């Protein structure tokens, strides 16, 4: 049941989804041999909270206890695997698992990842860390599946991480060519087979209960023909697997909303087959996924190994490469990532507040409601028809609406946490103040800046201003380096760049003094705020009739020398100064022209990218402006579709930062682009062409967790599109000397179509006349202007290896900027010297993945929790506000860096002492539902039979708070702090 694809969640709940759980619950209770698996929790939780009666809930508890209703995966959704980020995959699983464990005491141990468009190598690692015993996938390349099927290789043990290897391997089952739906062809009927409840009807269920395309009933006249059809299909599939047990899925999308008619037809059919098993040669039974995998496990076979290769990209036919969705609905992808980042900031800030000020005025139940709303929205959009951009326009709008509403709530929470007094006996930040007397030509604004990362950072923030002059001061009254200039987006506003230095999980308040007049004289503030002015270069036409490369203009900082060609207004080369190595490089926009007529050839749509010819240059003229600065130098390049167009269609804004603070930030070239509106049936790429000799090999990340080597492959058909890959956080190309890295604030498609080239698909606008697309309104007529951001780094392989993991995270989790007033007359605060925010700082190769108050209320002891659930006590739990969920991840692979790839030993009590005193530390599974000491996953026999239960070094120091974290490990803990009273 898709959470949001063609129809909105509300439409699906009304038309069929609520009826699925009501009717399945009632029908399972009628016969003890019936079974059902439920996958995505969002629909189930909506049903449980708003539809299910007390009787239904009692029945469900009993069915779950007996194992006849089984929750598979258990996340809020079946998440996409190509364009989702690690943080959000973990979040949506944690939300679903927390609900299931608190409510039923069950912990999913098997996956049913049948519908995502390709399979990532990160997913099996996460499922193993969550305690799963087996993984199930379906959508992989058609030609690869055919080969695996013929050679009985559809089942294997997958070691998704090259660093974790056998420690987190998992048995994986690949669905055969019939995939996850029941084969519907019946040789004796024109109707689909085995779908006796028909097809769900929208917007309302039919009042007479008669649905379209209901299968021919099982009667004495049809039962033998049904049995023969089913058995033949079972035997066909059995030939592709190694054991005598065949998984035969019964159902499909939007099924079982009338479970009575389903079971009342299948029951006698199965009975008939079993009564005639000698004739048919098979027996059949209802089974849950755990019963199937248990039978496979007990077969005790030795299984082939698969390393850290993934199954991306995915093609269904020679001209159907599902690589277009990597870039579909750029705005939705961007908002989803912004919401995730905001959630992380709000979680960490609220957690600090709860521990430090448990009786503070920010109501804990109100705060948790805001966090849960954003968790729900961020989890929901990870669905494989959500963040992928493959949904109908109204569903895309639904996702955006849910995200924006929840983000507004989180914004309110952040404001309350920043501004309300932490102790009721103290005045708040804004209440005790009065305007200074006298005549004032300056206006003042106060801004709070929060660093949501557990690292000390020095970075540049940008605040939009309406005044041409400004001076900035930190919370100690010291002047801060800043720069002000005309905005890149509007002639009516200014960009104010401020250099901020923030400790881990620290927020600081900055004072900005604005003035209508330009800064003049030798006043102190003039020395600290630089008023930058631009130099404009006339429009140049492409292709240029002039000889290029004659008039090069340098832009320098301490890391790079960028050369721009005044004859083209394009980038010409970059020299990374540390090693005095120059790389020829240019960046511009190219477009693929898509076919919209199915009669004329292969099409592109929400899912598919079909390039009928090579990309062509997307512009005919370029204008450039360079704004030299003391904080940042900005290069603005505007690309015009036609030579004499008044408005540009594309732009690149490159910010070259100067060095500030203890850690140089100059290696980060921050680029923001604008694209659109596009012409119809156009797919636009940013193409970076360089002198690097990469032989069309590139590296892209799997979900922000690990980098995958992507070697260019030639195919009989569709080679261009099948060499596109998803980029969630990072991509790079390299040769023996240099590496060029791009890190991103959202998911895109990426490819290397020529030597030295890296192209990123940033925007698509498509329409076609395929009846299936038109019937479901799966159009991508996206006329928006998109503004993605990429950061570019260039350097030696060893230098960039140290940097890009952290840079990708710093781009994702940029400082939160909260203006707490509008520019106004100066006011005087009554000085209340509060204690400074103490820092939380991790080593550079460890990342604070999660620091939150989940709120789920269950005992850490499984048996105690089960006894509570099975008692007759009131099962409505108040949230647990005292349990903190902590996750720490090692960013580096084994052998990636001589120092940063080493295991790291930390004392968590010491790390978190800036928050409070840690009293209890418990290590848990990834989603928190297992005590790690009691988690014993199945050990599958493999060709090398390595020990899968090797313990990591948990308590390697003198006390229970010392942990050692090895490369690519994600360690999850419950933390309890000593209570504070004021």
């Amino acid at each position: 049941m898709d959470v949001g694809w063609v129809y909105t969640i509300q439409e699906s709940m009304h038309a069929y989804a609520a009826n699925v759980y009501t009717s399945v619950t009632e029908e399972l209770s009628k016969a003890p041999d019936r079974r059902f698996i439920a996958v995505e929790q969002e629909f189930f939780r909506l049903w449980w909270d708003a539809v299910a009666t007390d009787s239904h809930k009692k029945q469900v508890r009993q069915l779950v206890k007996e194992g006849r209703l089984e929750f598979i995966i258990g996340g809020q959704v079946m998440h996409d695997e190509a364009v989702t980020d690690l943080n959000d995959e973990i979040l949506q699983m944690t939300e679903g698992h927390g609900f299931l464990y608190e409510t039923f005491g069950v912990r999913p141990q098997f996956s049913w990842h049948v519908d995502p468009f390709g399979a990532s190598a990160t997913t099996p690692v996460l499922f193993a860390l969550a305690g799963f015993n087996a993984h199930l996938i379906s959508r992989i390349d058609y030609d690869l599946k055919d080969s695996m099927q013929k050679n009985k290789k559809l089942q294997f043990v997958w070691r998704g991480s090259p660093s974790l290897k056998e420690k987190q391997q998992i048995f994986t089952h690949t669905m055969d060519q019939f995939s996850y739906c029941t084969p519907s062809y019946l040789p004796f009927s024109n109707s689909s087979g085995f779908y006796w409840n028909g097809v769900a009807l929208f917007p309302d269920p039919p009042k007479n209960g008669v649905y379209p395309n209901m299968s021919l009933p099982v009667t004495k006249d049809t039962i033998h023909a049904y049995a023969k059809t089913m058995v033949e299909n079972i035997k066909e599939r059995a030939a592709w697997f190694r054991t005598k047990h065949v998984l035969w899925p019964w159902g499909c999308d939007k099924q079982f909303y009338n479970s009575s008619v389903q079971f009342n037809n299948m029951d006698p059919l199965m009975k008939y087959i079993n009564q005639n098993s000698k004739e048919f040669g098979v027996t059949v039974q209802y089974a849950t996924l755990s019963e199937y995998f248990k039978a496979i496990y007990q077969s005790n076979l030795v299984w082939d190994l698969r390393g850290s290769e993934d199954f991306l990209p995915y093609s269904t036919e020679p001209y159907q490469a599902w690589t277009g969705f990597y870039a579909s609905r750029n705005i939705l992808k961007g908002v989803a990532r912004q919401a995730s980042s905001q959630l992380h900031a709000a979680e960490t800030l609220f957690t600090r507040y709860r521990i430090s000020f448990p009786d503070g005025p920010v109501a804990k139940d109100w705060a948790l409601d805001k966090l849960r709303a954003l968790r729900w929205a961020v989890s929901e959009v990870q669905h494989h028809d959500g963040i992928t951009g493959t949904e109908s326009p109204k569903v895309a709008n639904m996702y955006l609406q849910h995200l924006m509403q929840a983000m507004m709530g989180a914004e309110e929470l952040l404001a309350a946490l920043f501004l309300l007094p932490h102790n009721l006996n103290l005045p708040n930040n804004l209440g005790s103040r009065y305007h200074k007397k006298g005549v004032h030509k300056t206006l003042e604004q106060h801004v709070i800046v929060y660093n949501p990362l557990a690292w000390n950072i020095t970075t540049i923030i940008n605040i939009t201003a309406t005044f041409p002059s400004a001076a900035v001061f930190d919370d100690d009254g010291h002047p801060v380096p800043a720069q002000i200039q005309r905005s890149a987006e509007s002639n009516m506003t200014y960009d104010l760049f401020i250099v901020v230095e923030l400790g881990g999980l620290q927020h600081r308040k900055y004072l900005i003094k604005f003035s209508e007049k330009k800064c003049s004289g030798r006043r102190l503030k003039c020395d600290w705020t630089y008023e930058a002015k631009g130099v404009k270069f006339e429009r140049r036409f492409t292709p240029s009739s002039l000889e290029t490369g004659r008039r090069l203009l340098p832009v320098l900082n301490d890391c790079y020398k960028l050369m721009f060609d005044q004859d083209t207004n394009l980038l010409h080369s970059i020299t990374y100064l540390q090693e005095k190595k120059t790389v020829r490089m240019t960046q511009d926009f190219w477009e693929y022209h898509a076919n919209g007529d199915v009669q004329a050839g292969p099409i592109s749509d929400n899912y598919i990218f079909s390039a009928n010819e090579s990309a062509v240059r997307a512009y005919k003229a370029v204008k450039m402006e360079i704004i030299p600065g003391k904080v940042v130098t900005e290069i603005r390049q505007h690309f015009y579709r036609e030579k004499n167009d008044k408005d540009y269609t594309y732009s690149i804004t490159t910010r070259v930062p100067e060095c500030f603070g203890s850690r140089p930030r100059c290696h980060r070239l921050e680029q923001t682009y604008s694209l659109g509106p596009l012409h119809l049936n156009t797919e636009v790429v940013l193409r970076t062409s360089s002198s690097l000799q990469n032989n069309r090999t590139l590296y892209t990340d799997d979900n922000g967790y690990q980098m995958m080597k992507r070697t260019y492959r030639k195919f009989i058909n569709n080679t261009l599109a099948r060499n596109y890959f998803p980029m969630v956080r990072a991509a790079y190309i390299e040769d023996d000397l240099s590496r060029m890295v791009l890190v991103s604030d959202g998911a895109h498609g990426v490819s290397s179509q020529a030597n030295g080239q890296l192209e990123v698909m940033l925007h698509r606008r498509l329409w076609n006349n395929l009846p299936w697309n038109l019937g479901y309104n799966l159009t991508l007529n996206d006329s928006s202007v998109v503004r993605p951001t990429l950061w570019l780094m260039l350097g030696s392989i060893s230098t960039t290896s140290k940097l890009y993991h952290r840079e990708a995270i710093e781009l994702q989790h940029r400082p939160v900027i909260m203006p707490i007033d509008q520019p106004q007359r100066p006011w005087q605060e009554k000085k209340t010297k509060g204690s400074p925010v103490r820092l939380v700082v991790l080593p550079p190769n460890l990342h604070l993945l999660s620091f939150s108050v989940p709120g789920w209320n269950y005992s850490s002891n499984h048996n105690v929790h089960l006894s509570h659930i099975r008692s007759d006590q009131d099962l409505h739990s108040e949230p647990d506000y005292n349990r903190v969920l902590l996750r720490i991840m090692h960013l580096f692979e084994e052998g990636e860096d001589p120092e940063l790839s080493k295991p790291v030993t930390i004392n968590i009590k010491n790390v978190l002492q800036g928050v409070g005193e840690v009293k209890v530390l418990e290590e848990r599974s990834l989603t928190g539902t297992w005590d790690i000491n009691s988690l014993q996953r199945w050990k599958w026999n493999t060709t090398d039979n390595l020990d899968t239960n090797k313990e990591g070094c948990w308590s390697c120091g003198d006390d229970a708070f010392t942990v050692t974290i090895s490369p690519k490990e994600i360690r999850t803990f419950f933390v309890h702090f000593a209570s504070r009273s004021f």
Side-chain angles (χ1 to χ4, degrees), residues 366-505:
W366 174 81
L368 189 59
D369 283 347
K370 298 293 185 188
L371 291 171
R372 283 180 161 171
L374 189 50
R375 291 173 192 168
W376 185 285
V378 172
S379 296
E380 172 185 274
V381 78
Q382 306 311 316
H383 182 263
H384 57 272
D385 278 307
I387 197 168
T388 51
T390 54
E391 63 280 271
S392 65
K394 69 178 176 182
V395 175
N397 290 337
M398 176 203 73
Y399 284 124
L400 282 169
Q401 182 184 10
H402 291 180
L403 288 165
M404 299 301 287
Q405 286 177 339
M407 289 171 75
M408 287 171 62
E411 192 84 7
E412 292 174 23
L413 173 58
L414 286 166
L417 294 171
F418 285 136
L419 302 179
L420 288 179
H422 293 156
N423 186 319
L424 291 175
N425 298 322
L426 295 175
N428 67 22
N429 282 336
L430 295 179
S432 300
R433 65 186 198 180
Y434 53 87
H435 286 296
K436 297 176 185 175
K437 292 181 179 179
V439 178
H440 303 283
K441 293 182 180 178
T442 61
L443 298 178
E444 294 186 350
Q445 183 177 23
H446 298 77
V447 176
I448 290 177
V449 185
Y450 174 57
N451 170 24
L453 297 172
W455 298 317
N456 298 333
I457 64 167
T458 300
T459 192
I460 299 166
I461 63 169
N462 182 13
I463 292 174
T464 301
T466 55
F467 299 93
S469 184
V472 185
F473 302 88
D474 65 19
D475 41 15
D476 293 321
H478 299 135
V480 173
Q483 176 178 319
I484 194 163
Q485 63 196 43
R486 282 281 181 190
S487 171
E489 300 298 327
S490 167
N491 287 329
M492 305 298 292
T493 59
Y494 298 85
D495 290 329
L496 176 61
F497 297 102
I498 305 170
V499 179
V500 295
E501 294 190 45
L502 295 160
L505 301 190

Side-chain angles (χ1 to χ4, degrees), residues 180-314:
Y180 63 92
C181 291
T182 311
S184 60
Y185 172 70
L186 292 179
F188 56 91
S189 170
N190 291 328
S191 299
S192 296
F194 308 98
Y195 297 101
W196 292 286
N197 60 191
V199 177
L201 204 59
F202 288 81
D204 301 307
K207 291 180 179 177
N208 62 1
V210 178
Y211 285 83
N213 201 30
M214 295 176 77
S215 297
L216 205 62
V218 174
T219 64
K220 64 179 182 179
D221 296 325
T222 62
I223 193 166
H224 186 78
Y226 258 117
K228 188 168 179 287
T229 301
M230 183 172 171
V231 167
E232 285 176 355
N233 184 258
I234 290 170
K235 288 182 174 179
E236 183 180 8
R237 298 172 112 148
W240 300 327
F241 294 92
R242 294 176 59 201
T243 75
K244 62 181 182 180
H245 306 291
V246 177
L247 174 63
W248 197 80
W250 177 37
C252 195
D253 297 349
K254 306 182 191 70
Q255 285 292 308
F256 285 88
Y257 45 83
N258 185 351
S259 298
S260 174
V261 70
Q262 289 283 84
F263 282 112
N264 287 339
N265 280 278
M266 185 57 89
D267 284 352
L269 176 58
M270 291 174 62
K271 183 178 180 182
Y272 180 82
I273 292 172
N274 289 335
Q275 286 175 340
N276 297 278
S277 61
K278 287 188 178 178
E279 175 191 346
F280 288 122
V282 302
T283 59
V284 292
Q285 69 178 71
Y286 291 120
T288 61
L289 203 56
S290 66
E291 289 173 312
Y292 170 73
F293 277 126
K294 197 170 290 181
I296 300 299
Y297 182 63
Q298 290 171 348
S299 67
N300 212 29
L301 296 177
V302 176
W303 299 99
D304 287 343
L305 287 166
R306 182 177 182 86
S308 58
E309 306 89 5
D310 60 10
F311 292 97
L312 291 166
Y314 161 63

Side-chain angles (χ1 to χ4, degrees), residues 773-914:
N773 281 337
L774 295 177
Y776 284 127
N777 194 21
L778 293 175
T779 55
L780 195 65
N781 191 0
D782 185 348
S783 59
S784 62
V785 176
V786 302
R787 292 182 172 85
T789 295
L790 297 174
W791 289 354
L792 185 150
M793 284 161 285
L794 181 68
S796 67
I797 292 172
S798 61
T799 298
T800 52
S801 291
K802 292 175 176 20
L803 297 173
Y804 77 88
H805 298 287
R806 176 163 170 163
E807 291 299 307
I809 290 169
E810 287 199 24
L811 174 53
Q812 170 71 11
H813 297 293
R814 284 168 279 189
V816 175
I817 303 167
M818 180 162 287
I820 58 179
D821 52 17
Q822 294 298 318
Q824 57 187 292
R825 287 170 48 206
W827 46 263
Q828 181 72 46
E829 281 186 278
K830 288 183 179 176
K831 293 294 182 183
T832 54
K833 190 65 177 175
S835 56
V837 178
R838 299 177 69 188
L839 311 184
V840 176
V841 182
L842 286 171
N845 46 3
L846 297 185
H847 169 45
L848 183 69
L849 204 59
S850 308
F851 190 56
S852 65
V853 177
W856 300 113
N857 195 338
Y858 49 79
S859 171
S860 295
N861 183 301
H862 182 59
N863 292 327
V864 171
H865 181 53
L866 286 184
S867 66
H868 171 70
I869 286 175
R870 292 168 183 172
S871 69
D872 293 328
Q873 301 172 32
D874 178 17
L875 288 171
H876 178 70
S877 298
E878 288 300 316
D880 183 343
Y881 292 100
N882 298 316
R883 174 185 287 157
V884 171
L885 176 70
L886 169 71
R887 287 193 192 95
I888 299 175
M889 174 181 169
H890 197 303
L891 295 176
F892 285 78
E893 297 280 4
E894 278 186 351
E896 187 176 2
D897 183 83
E899 289 301 318
L900 296 171
S901 289
K902 291 179 179 177
V904 186
T905 300
I906 58 171
N907 184 293
I908 289 180
K909 186 167 187 165
N910 293 342
V911 168
L912 296 179
Q913 65 182 353

